[in-house]
Amino acid sequence: KRMPPAVLQLLASRLDNDGLDERDLAVLAWTLRYLIQDETDTRLRLAYDMLELSVDTPLPTDHAEMALDLHMASHVAAADLAKTPAKTMMKVYANMEKLYPAWNDTLDFIHQAYVSEVGAPAVSTVTFDQNLRVISNITERYGLWQDSECKAMKAMLLPWEDQGSGRVHLTDFYRASLAGKWQFSEKVDYLRQLGALDESVPGSPRVIIVNYLLSYSNCVGSTPYNDLCCL
């Protein structure tokens, strides 16, 4: 979304000619990794600032972990901390469980990464650099961890599959939502826009399971450089 113009120009030039070779792909991967890491550093600093915490002074462990949680909340909610007023962001943070029902599982994931990196509760304070390493660790692992949610959604839909077609009748799709699942509530027009609605049989629309799972509506977490979606 926000690749440096010079990088975009180089990519366009390569693609217009011989395409990308292995070295080009390696350079691109390294560049993206650097940009994402830089964005992570900036986002964490903004989270500290929003909580009125110092990046230069070791923090009590509970304060340090709160900064991590706020960082992740902004990531999941696709909120730009540089542009979102503190009052607004803190309201989003306080309501994350309602906005994203898997939030408590995400907090457990963050806590495990935090304990593993800083050695809590054995330590009493945590530096900014330690917290940044925690976030880097989370960034590396979050995609695979979050994909477990995608697999869970697939497992919820498969019992409703229409005779091995890879499709679920729209009525069954919504029935899963009525059964207490927070997913599966997209409107017909949106499913059609996603390319996840099969209307080849008049009067019997069906949701294409794989197209639905891979759609943008199931992406969780966003940065200026990438979105985390089902694998």
Side-chain angles (χ1 to χ4, degrees), residues 143-158 213 230-231:
L144 286 175
W145 177 84
Q146 191 270 333
D147 191 57
S148 64
E149 186 177 319
C150 300
K151 290 182 172 65
M153 282 196 291
K154 181 178 180 180
M156 292 176 202
L157 289 173
L158 283 179
L213 292 176
C230 292
L231 302 176

Side-chain angles (χ1 to χ4, degrees), residues 91-153:
K91 185 176 181 179
V92 170
Y93 176 55
N95 288 281
M96 279 301 296
E97 190 174 355
K98 294 179 181 178
L99 297 171
Y100 178 50
W103 178 240
N104 284 333
D105 291 335
T106 303
L107 290 179
D108 288 341
F109 171 71
I110 295 170
H111 181 70
Q112 290 170 14
Y114 175 73
V115 170
S116 175
E117 178 62 41
V118 305
V123 298
S124 58
T125 60
V126 177
T127 66
F128 177 82
D129 285 344
Q130 284 177 304
N131 248 6
L132 186 57
R133 287 197 295 273
V134 175
I135 287 293
S136 297
N137 185 297
I138 290 172
T139 301
E140 292 285 341
R141 296 167 47 202
Y142 184 64
L144 286 175
W145 177 84
Q146 191 270 333
D147 191 57
S148 64
E149 186 177 319
C150 300
K151 290 182 172 65
M153 282 196 291

Side-chain angles (χ1 to χ4, degrees), residues 63-81:
H63 291 183
E65 192 165 5
M66 183 181 293
L68 294 178
D69 294 346
L70 181 61
H71 177 286
M72 183 59 81
S74 72
H75 181 66
V76 171
D80 186 342
L81 292 183

